[in-house]
Amino acid sequence: MKLKKTLLACTLALAALNPAFAQSAEGLPDWPGAGQLFAGVNYQPVDRTLEQVKRDVALMKQSAFKVVRMGDLAWDYFEPEEGKFDFKHFDAVMAEVHAAGIKVILDIPGQPAPMWLHHKYPGVDIVNQAGTRLAPAERYMDNTADPDYRRLATRMADTLVKRYAKHPAVLAVGYDNEVGNGFMSYSEADRKRFVEWLKKRYGSIETLNKAWATQRWSRRIGKWDEVRLPLADGPGPAERYLDLRRFWSDMTLATLADREAVRRRHTPDKPVLSNYWDWSGRKGFDYLGSYRDHTTFGAMGFYAGDAINGGWKAALIKGGMTVPTWFNEFTAGGGGSYGSKGWSRMWAHFVLLMGGQAALAWTFNSHLGGEEQALWGLIDHDDRPSWRLAEWARIAGDYAKLEKLGFPRKVEPKVAIAYSFDNVHATSPNGPSNTVRQYIKAPYIKQAHGAFEPLLKDNIDVAVIKLTYEDLSRYRLIILPGMYLLDKAATEAVRKFVAEGGTVVMTAQSAKVDDNNQWHATPKPAGLTDVFGLRTNEFYDWVGTVKLGDEEIKGTVNHFEVLEPSTAQVLARFSNFDGQPPAITVNSFGKGRAVYVATTAQAPIMKPLLRQLCTELGIAPGPKTPDGVYARAVDGRVLYVNTNWTPVDVPISGAMQGVLGGQRWDKTLKLEALGVEMLEPRN
C-alpha cells in the first residue's frame, strides 16, 4: 500500500510538471481502459424535483446505465446570484446516482453565462459586426474573452470541482458544452485584445502590413490603433479573415487552460471528457493542434446523419490519440423527431468500430421548455418511459457482452489524412468578392470526405491529424486532400516523412498559399516541387476522366490541374483531353514516394489509387462487406454494422455463431435494416 501511494504521488508530481503527461490515460491505469464499455445518458436535474430524480435514477439503474453526464448548461442552477452558491439539490442528485452505482461525468458549466452576469458585467455581451450590443437571446451568446467572464467562470469551476473532487461517484470532468460553438464579438475591448494578439504574432506594423498584403487596394495600416476586427460575414481580404479565426481560437483555448488549471488543482486523478464541437462554423478552435493541453480522451456529440460524416468526425475527435473515444452526447430522439427504432443501437455499435468506449444518450428526460422544448428524450414529457429507453437498455446489455471480447477496440491506423483549422478557414474565406471562393471548387471537408470514404468502405482504420502536431513515423501513408494552406512547418514535415520512407498523396488545390494565406511566389506545390517531381500552375474548370490501368473513372468536380513532370512518373492520364495529359504521378524522393493527383479529392478517383497504394504498403483491408455495411475483426471475431435502412445479406466464411443475437449462420449473415451482429467461429 505504501509503495502504491508513493507511485501515485510521483505520478501526480510528474503530471503537474508535464501537461502532456497529465493528460495521458496510459499514465493512470485505473482510468477507463481495456475491457470497459459505458452506456449511459445525459441528464439535466435542474428542472426535476427530488421525487422525479429518484424515479429517473431508478430507471437508469434498471437500464444498466453505467454513467451519467450532468452539470452542463446550468451555471445559475449552482450560482443563482453572484457569489452565492447553492448545491443542496445537486448534492441530493449525486447521492441518488452514487447509491445506484452509476458514475458521473461532472461537466463544468461555463456557457451560457447567467443573466445576472450579463447585467452586471456588460463586457460579457456579444457585440455584432455593426457595433450593436446583443442581449443573450440564446445559448453561447457570451463573450468568453472578456476578463470578467473568465474570472467568474473560473471561480464557478473552482467551486464546483473542489466540492465534488472526492465524491466517489465522479468518474471524470468536462469543460463547458460545445465550447467551439460560441460567437465572435466586435466590441472595442475585443478589438484591443486582437491588436495585442497581433503584436505578439507579428511584432511590428511593417510585418503586419506584409502579412496582410495591405499594399493592395490602399489598405496600408500606419499604426496599431488603426487596426479593426476583420468581418467574419461580409467582404474583406482572406489574410485578415484567417487571423480573425486564429485569434478567436486562441481565446477559446485560453478558457480551456483556465478549466484545466482547476482540474489539475483539485482532481488531477480524473480524466477530461468534454464535448467540444471544435469544428463548429460559428467559431470553432484548433483542437487537433492543442488537445494534449486540455483533454484526455477524445469526446464529442455524435449526430452522424450518414456513415461517412459520422466516421469522419469520430476520427477527427480522436486525432493521434491511442486511447478510446467517448461519445458523451449521442443521438437518441432528435430535434422535432421522435426517433426511429434501431437507429441509436446501430450507431452505438458503429462507434465501437471506430475505437469508441462510451455512448451517452441525449437526453434522459424530454424537455418541457426552452430552446429545445421539441426534443424527445428517453422518457416522454409525461414521465413515461418510451421505447427509446428500452433500446438504450439493450445497448447497455450489448456493451456488457462486448466489453469482455476485446472492446474498446485498440485503433492503430497506418493511414492518416491531414487536417488543419487554418486550412478549413483559408479555403472558405469571407466574401463575396474574394476570388478564393470561386477557385475552391470543392469545400475542404468535401475533399477530406472524398479521401476518407474509400478507406472507410474498405474497413481500414484512418487517423485525422494535424501534420505538425504528431509523430508522422507512425504512419505509412498520409493523404493531403485539398491542403490549400500548407504552412512552412507542415511543408517540412511532409518532406521529412517522404525522405524517411513514407508515402504521401497530395491532390489538386494543395500547397498554394503560405502561413499568411497569400499565394506563394514560387512554383507549386510550393516548397515540394522536388519531392513530387513536378510543378503545376495551369488549371481548368473541366471534369476529367482518369484512365488508371484498364479502368476509366469520370470525375465529379469541374477542376483539374496541368501537371508538368520532371522526375515524376505518370501513373494515370486523362482520356478525355487532347494529348492525354497526366492525371496521377508518382515520384521517388529519399526512401519514400510522393503521389500527386491532378483532380480534387473525390471518392471515385481516390478509391482505386488508395487500394493500390495500401496493397503495396502492406495495409490490409478489413472484412469485405456490401455497401453501407461496416465491420472490424476483433480478437478472432467480427462485428458487423448495417447502416442501411434495408436488410442486407453479408457473405461470410463458413459456419459462424452470433454473439449478440445467438443465431447460427452459414455462408451468409442476414442483417436486418440498421442491424448489428458480432460473429465468432461456431464450436
Side-chain angles (χ1 to χ4, degrees):
M1 179 62 70
K2 186 175 181 181
L3 177 61
K4 184 176 180 180
K5 288 182 178 178
T6 302
L7 289 173
L8 177 59
C10 291
T11 297
L12 297 182
L14 284 169
L17 291 171
N18 186 341
F21 186 85
Q23 300 302 332
S24 170
E26 288 89 344
L28 293 167
D30 47 337
W31 283 359
Q36 299 179 72
L37 295 179
F38 296 82
V41 70
N42 287 260
Y43 188 49
Q44 290 78 47
V46 58
D47 55 2
R48 307 294 283 173
T49 67
L50 189 54
E51 287 306 310
Q52 287 176 313
V53 168
K54 290 179 178 180
R55 291 198 301 269
D56 292 344
V57 173
L59 287 171
M60 293 178 198
K61 182 177 180 179
Q62 179 182 314
S63 302
F65 291 164
K66 286 187 178 182
V67 64
V68 60
R69 176 173 170 243
M70 303 189 294
D72 56 305
L73 305 168
W75 186 338
D76 63 4
Y77 168 59
F78 299 113
E79 190 181 5
E81 298 179 53
E82 183 179 1
K84 295 181 180 180
F85 294 91
D86 184 355
F87 296 102
K88 183 179 178 181
H89 186 257
F90 198 68
D91 284 347
V93 175
M94 290 288 286
E96 289 294 328
V97 169
H98 176 56
I102 299 171
K103 293 294 185 181
V104 173
I105 299 173
L106 183 65
D107 215 328
I108 301 166
Q111 291 185 272
M115 294 300 292
W116 59 255
L117 194 152
H118 281 272
H119 292 153
K120 189 170 182 180
Y121 303 100
V124 182
D125 291 347
I126 295 294
V127 175
N128 69 12
Q129 292 181 173
T132 303
R133 187 175 299 277
L134 303 177
E138 64 167 275
R139 286 178 295 172
Y140 314 134
M141 291 185 70
D142 310 309
N143 187 345
T144 59
D146 178 76
D148 287 316
Y149 171 85
R150 290 184 60 182
R151 173 176 60 84
L152 293 170
T154 299
R155 187 182 67 181
M156 172 72 254
D158 189 78
T159 305
L160 182 71
V161 175
K162 184 178 180 180
R163 184 177 187 87
Y164 297 107
K166 305 302 180 184
H167 197 291
V170 174
L171 175 73
V173 295
Y175 301 148
D176 299 354
N177 179 67
E178 299 176 350
V179 67
N181 194 36
F183 288 79
M184 293 182 277
S185 184
Y186 285 80
S187 71
E188 174 61 14
D190 291 311
R191 187 193 71 80
K192 289 179 178 178
R193 282 188 283 270
F194 182 55
V195 168
E196 292 305 310
W197 182 88
L198 291 172
K199 287 179 180 178
K200 290 179 181 178
R201 182 175 181 85
Y202 295 111
S204 68
I205 284 288
E206 292 74 19
T207 305
L208 176 67
N209 276 311
K210 185 175 181 181
W212 279 11
T214 60
Q215 74 277 7
R216 294 289 176 189
W217 320 133
S218 297
R219 290 295 180 265
R220 192 183 70 83
I221 296 168
K223 55 185 179 180
W224 289 109
D225 196 50
E226 292 177 2
V227 172
R228 295 294 179 264
L229 279 160
L231 301 181
D233 182 17
E239 299 89 347
R240 291 180 233 183
Y241 174 79
L242 179 58
D243 273 348
L244 174 73
R245 289 289 187 169
R246 287 167 168 164
F247 165 71
W248 280 108
S249 173
D250 284 353
M251 295 301 99
T252 299
L253 291 172
T255 66
L256 289 174
D258 294 341
R259 309 293 189 277
E260 174 61 6
V262 170
R263 182 198 70 86
R264 290 186 196 166
R265 183 159 58 247
H266 297 305
T267 57
D269 59 329
K270 303 299 181 188
V272 181
L273 294 167
S274 299
N275 174 19
Y276 290 131
W277 197 0
D278 56 289
W279 55 81
S280 169
R282 282 209 298 219
K283 188 162 66 171
F285 67 98
D286 186 9
Y287 168 82
L288 281 186
S290 66
Y291 63 78
R292 291 188 182 92
D293 293 332
H294 52 72
T295 195
T296 314
F297 295 86
M300 64 175 286
F302 189 80
Y303 302 93
D306 62 79
I308 306 304
N309 181 59
W312 167 259
K313 287 178 178 176
L316 187 64
I317 204 67
K318 191 176 185 67
M321 285 184 269
T322 58
V323 294
T325 306
W326 280 60
F327 299 90
N328 59 2
E329 185 180 310
F330 206 90
T331 177
S337 169
Y338 197 75
S340 300
K341 293 180 179 180
W343 178 253
S344 293
R345 182 171 180 255
M346 178 272 290
W347 288 122
H349 287 80
F350 178 87
V351 297
L352 294 184
L353 301 179
M354 306 300 295
Q357 182 169 29
L360 277 64
W362 180 267
T363 181
F364 186 76
N365 48 297
S366 299
H367 291 191
L368 300 178
E371 293 168 39
E372 293 188 340
Q373 61 177 300
L375 178 86
W376 281 264
L378 303 188
I379 63 171
D380 289 337
H381 294 100
D382 58 2
D383 280 0
R384 290 190 302 169
S386 77
W387 58 260
R388 293 184 302 280
L389 181 62
E391 180 168 314
W392 275 86
R394 188 180 183 190
I395 292 169
D398 290 346
Y399 276 20
K401 292 178 183 178
L402 295 178
E403 68 180 1
K404 307 302 181 186
L405 303 177
F407 291 93
R409 245 190 101 236
K410 189 168 185 179
V411 178
E412 299 179 290
K414 299 303 177 187
V415 183
I417 296 177
Y419 175 98
S420 81
F421 176 83
D422 284 3
N423 190 62
V424 170
H425 295 293
T427 55
S428 56
N430 52 346
S433 60
N434 199 301
T435 52
V436 174
R437 294 164 68 94
Q438 300 157 31
Y439 169 71
I440 300 293
K441 290 299 184 291
Y444 169 70
I445 293 300
K446 183 176 180 180
Q447 292 208 51
H449 285 187
F452 179 73
E453 179 180 337
L455 294 163
L456 182 69
K457 288 186 173 181
D458 279 350
N459 294 308
I460 294 174
D461 291 329
V462 180
V464 178
I465 62 170
K466 184 172 181 177
L467 293 168
T468 54
Y469 198 68
E470 306 295 345
D471 175 10
L472 302 187
S473 67
R474 295 162 55 185
Y475 308 105
R476 299 177 193 170
L477 173 63
I478 295 178
I479 308 163
L480 289 76
M483 290 298 290
Y484 173 72
L485 187 156
L486 198 69
D487 63 27
K488 186 181 295 185
T491 299
E492 290 307 307
V494 170
R495 173 181 294 276
K496 182 174 183 289
F497 174 73
V498 178
E500 293 180 353
T503 297
V504 68
V505 176
M506 178 181 279
T507 71
Q509 299 191 328
S510 293
K512 306 304 184 190
V513 299
D514 63 15
D515 304 43
N516 296 322
N517 208 11
Q518 296 185 33
W519 275 67
H520 289 283
T522 60
K524 290 32 159 221
L528 294 170
T529 53
D530 57 335
V531 175
F532 286 90
L534 55 76
R535 60 186 293 171
T536 176
N537 194 51
E538 290 181 66
F539 63 92
Y540 296 94
D541 293 342
W542 300 338
V543 175
T545 299
V546 177
K547 185 173 177 57
L548 182 59
D550 295 329
E551 188 175 2
E552 283 200 321
I553 311 147
K554 186 174 182 179
T556 58
V557 179
N558 60 332
H559 182 94
F560 82 96
E561 294 182 355
V562 177
L563 306 186
E564 304 173 43
S566 52
T567 57
Q569 304 299 308
V570 177
L571 282 181
R573 294 183 178 274
F574 290 112
S575 61
N576 63 325
F577 300 144
D578 289 345
Q580 296 195 333
I584 303 175
T585 62
V586 60
N587 187 57
S588 295
F589 182 81
K591 298 178 182 178
R593 294 179 300 172
V595 178
Y596 199 97
V597 181
T599 69
T600 60
Q602 43 202 282
I605 293 172
M606 300 298 285
K607 177 181 175 180
L609 172 63
L610 294 178
R611 277 186 174 174
Q612 178 180 322
L613 291 174
C614 285
T615 299
E616 293 170 0
L617 294 169
I619 302 170
K624 191 171 183 179
T625 53
D627 194 44
V629 177
Y630 301 89
R632 294 291 191 278
V634 183
D635 289 358
R637 303 173 183 87
V638 181
L639 178 61
Y640 292 93
V641 179
N642 179 19
T643 66
N644 297 294
W645 289 92
T646 54
V648 175
D649 288 349
V650 182
I652 59 175
S653 177
M656 306 292 282
Q657 180 76 33
V659 172
L660 299 175
Q663 291 178 264
R664 296 188 173 190
W665 304 97
D666 193 358
K667 296 184 180 178
T668 302
L669 167 65
K670 294 184 178 294
L671 284 175
E672 61 186 8
L674 307 180
V676 301
E677 183 56 281
M678 188 171 194
L679 297 185
E680 62 183 2
R682 190 187 300 175
N683 293 330

